[in-house]
Amino acid sequence: MFRLHRLGRALCAAAAALLLPLAGTHTAHAATAPAGAAAEAEAGTGYWHTSGRQILDAAGQPVRIAGINWFGFETANYVVHGLWSRDYKSVIDQMRSLGYNTIRLPYSDDIFKSTTVPNSIDFSNGKNADLQGLNSLQIMDRIVAYAGQDGLRVILDRHRPDAGGQSALWYTSAVPESTWIADLKALAARYASDPTVVGIDLHNEPHDPACWGCGDTSVDWRLAAQRAGNAVLSVNPGLLVFVEGVQTYNGVSGWWGGNLMGVARYPVQLDVANRVVYSAHDYATSVAQQSWFSDPAFPANMPGVWDSYWGYIFKQNIAPVWIGEFGTTLASTVDQKWLAALVSYLRPTSTYGADSFQWTFWSWNPDSGDTGGILKDDWVTVDTVKDGYLASIKAPLFPGTGGGSGGGGGGGGSTAACSASYTVSSDWGSGFNASVTVTNTGTAAIGSWRVTWTWSGSQQVTNAWNASYTQSGETVTAVNAAHNGTIPVGGSASFGFGGAPGGGAVPSVSCTAT
């Protein structure tokens, strides 16, 4: 894949996008939870393993990875981006409030060097105070610990051999295979007592001349993944081993890391059973053109494309499939249709629960040059259009370890309270789109929330996302979705809706929290 990371503080311009909202009715609109959803909401304890196409926790309950990529450790900053303007805990709390349950953390082998120093971190006004003086691995420890407290899990991604750029193979002349494996083992051992780190993505986006099943140990990625996976499991047998595809198999090419056609004939076989999760990457035209985008049948042709490259692994119950990266600026109609089709293909949680594809969206960061991020350029504001596309495939958070601001309620005398702000994002006379942001203004974490407003005209909600709603006359009541009911102290969640006719005056909005 040809993604351009902008290093340092360079931020990309926010892209215009058209909304593709969820369908709804004006009487009631809510995603119904699948059977066993109450149990699934608490799933995720301990180390995980695979069973057929599903990932199960230590108690055998199915889990769904529904997460986000937060990059930076793989760049010359040697730490996740955005800390130049925000405290890392507030970032993780915001991820949690939006319903992302897993963080994929890319890194390069440079973070193991004593000469590399994390940079571009703001320590003013108490921000990131507990990161001061730490090296990259120690900062990673803090991020992992806080994510676990907040009920998120972490997948470590060996993204590059060094901060200089992507590599086709898992080794280079400067970073041999022995270094790659030694560093993977060091990370596996580092988190051997902390199942917040559920697994390691062995190498990001292998591509030509990498092959799958050719038997040449210098370029056969499948054989290298077996060597590295066994090394990881030798020091931490509880980890999942995430194995990406290649670019070309039997003369058929696709996205870097996105071609898993060879798995059918040459599966990855590790010494510890039930640990392999296959990973594909998939992108839209803002990254690069592919032949399927110009197919007259597009986007109806896309399920067949995905089936052939990686979807068959899931559909044939061979192993779980994790879409470790997918993203777009959403600037073009083609990209909007692509993302809508892919989200549908990945299977909505409300229908299939955890019997679904796993995923981590690219990216949280706004400074990914050819995709942008869930955050806008100020590193605070959420791109609610982009985030809204993902609402149907988000999944429950996992049990937290406590101590984070999202880790549970407050102590004696704490109160649950919230406020809500209503914004009309577009109004074209015959209809409008609006968003509502709910903020926890109390001294305890919110477990659920309800927002109510009354219009002065004849407006009707026509569809909504990230909330369910009812409307009686001019009064609308919106209730949190399963993934965004819990809001830590000071945190926020948002939902959006379409309505008709035009929006008119902004109504007064009330919020109730429990």
Side-chain angles (χ1 to χ4, degrees):
M1 204 278 292
F2 318 101
R3 184 176 56 257
L4 304 173
H5 290 343
R6 296 186 180 180
L7 305 182
R9 307 190 184 195
L11 298 174
C12 61
L18 298 178
L19 186 62
L20 198 77
L22 305 178
T25 69
H26 68 272
T27 53
H29 173 72
T32 56
E40 183 182 331
E42 288 301 310
T45 57
Y47 280 108
W48 298 351
H49 61 282
T50 70
S51 177
R53 68 191 191 183
Q54 291 193 318
I55 298 175
L56 307 180
D57 70 5
Q61 295 189 91
V63 296
R64 184 178 201 184
I65 295 167
I68 195 78
N69 282 270
W70 186 13
F71 69 78
F73 277 109
E74 83 282 20
T75 72
N77 297 111
Y78 309 117
V79 70
V80 286
H81 286 180
L83 302 190
W84 49 68
S85 62
R86 294 186 64 178
D87 184 90
Y88 76 98
K89 294 179 181 178
S90 74
V91 174
I92 296 171
D93 286 344
Q94 188 179 26
M95 291 175 177
R96 184 185 197 279
S97 73
L98 291 174
Y100 297 102
N101 66 20
T102 303
I103 306 171
R104 180 177 182 254
L105 282 180
Y107 72 88
S108 85
D109 293 79
D110 278 351
I111 67 172
F112 292 88
K113 297 178 179 178
S114 60
T115 54
T116 58
V117 179
N119 58 83
S120 301
I121 303 175
D122 183 7
F123 297 111
S124 67
N125 302 313
K127 287 195 291 288
N128 301 302
D130 59 336
L131 304 185
Q132 205 145 10
L134 302 186
N135 63 32
S136 294
L137 287 170
Q138 291 167 335
I139 291 176
M140 184 179 285
D141 291 343
R142 296 295 173 93
I143 290 172
V144 168
Y146 195 80
Q149 292 170 9
D150 255 6
L152 281 72
R153 297 294 180 262
V154 173
I155 298 169
L156 303 177
D157 156 46
R158 195 285 192 137
H159 208 74
R160 301 171 172 173
D162 57 58
Q166 206 81 3
S167 64
L169 300 174
W170 54 97
Y171 63 91
T172 63
S173 58
V175 184
E177 178 174 308
S178 58
T179 299
W180 171 57
I181 289 180
D183 291 344
L184 286 170
K185 288 178 68 176
L187 282 178
R190 190 178 191 93
Y191 299 111
S193 61
D194 186 359
T196 297
V197 176
V198 296
I200 300 180
D201 187 345
L202 297 177
H203 178 63
N204 187 68
E205 296 184 348
H207 53 277
D208 297 347
C211 67
W212 190 290
C214 67
D216 181 344
T217 55
S218 67
V219 293
D220 191 329
W221 166 237
R222 178 250 189 179
L223 294 179
Q226 291 183 163
R227 295 192 295 272
N230 284 330
V232 163
L233 295 172
S234 72
V235 296
N236 189 344
L239 288 176
L240 295 175
V241 174
F242 296 91
V243 181
E244 297 189 28
V246 291
Q247 179 183 359
T248 304
Y249 179 76
N250 278 356
V252 180
S253 293
W255 295 111
W256 289 3
N259 190 333
L260 286 160
M261 293 177 174
V263 169
R265 184 174 179 183
Y266 302 106
V268 171
Q269 297 175 316
L270 300 178
D271 295 339
V272 181
N274 302 318
R275 293 295 182 272
V276 176
V277 177
Y278 293 104
S279 176
H281 291 183
D282 203 89
Y283 279 95
T285 64
S286 67
V287 172
Q289 283 287 342
Q290 297 281 7
S291 59
W292 43 81
F293 295 126
S294 57
D295 187 320
F298 178 85
N301 63 316
M302 292 310 301
V305 172
W306 294 319
D307 281 350
S308 65
Y309 279 98
W310 43 265
Y312 76 93
I313 299 171
F314 175 87
K315 292 186 175 182
Q316 295 178 21
N317 203 36
I318 296 170
V321 176
W322 171 53
I323 313 307
E325 293 183 17
F326 63 106
T328 167
T329 61
L330 284 179
S332 72
T333 301
V334 168
D335 285 23
Q336 294 155 23
K337 291 179 178 180
W338 165 85
L339 184 55
L342 180 56
V343 164
S344 176
Y345 183 84
L346 297 182
R347 299 164 64 104
T349 304
S350 63
T351 304
Y352 297 99
D355 185 24
S356 304
F357 290 92
Q358 320 287 328
W359 60 273
T360 45
F361 187 73
W362 188 277
S363 62
W364 179 254
N365 307 45
D367 58 333
S368 177
D370 47 12
T371 65
I374 291 298
L375 292 188
K376 295 189 177 181
D377 288 354
D378 62 4
W379 278 94
V380 175
T381 305
V382 175
D383 185 333
T384 55
V385 174
K386 191 175 288 188
D387 182 64
Y389 273 87
L390 306 174
S392 65
I393 55 172
K394 290 180 181 178
L397 292 156
F398 305 113
T401 58
S405 67
S414 61
T415 58
C418 62
S419 64
S421 61
Y422 177 115
T423 303
V424 176
S425 54
S426 58
D427 189 341
W428 55 92
S430 61
F432 67 100
N433 286 324
S435 62
V436 177
T437 299
V438 178
T439 301
N440 183 345
T441 57
T443 57
I446 292 172
S448 63
W449 46 262
R450 182 175 70 253
V451 172
T452 303
W453 68 88
T454 301
W455 279 310
S456 58
S458 59
Q459 291 87 359
Q460 294 283 326
V461 177
T462 56
N463 44 62
W465 48 98
N466 292 332
S468 60
Y469 70 89
T470 58
Q471 181 168 353
S472 177
E474 295 83 26
T475 300
V476 180
T477 300
V479 178
N480 61 271
H483 66 266
N484 64 356
T486 303
I487 306 177
V489 175
S492 62
S494 60
F495 66 94
F497 62 91
V506 174
S508 175
V509 183
S510 63
C511 183
T512 303
T514 57

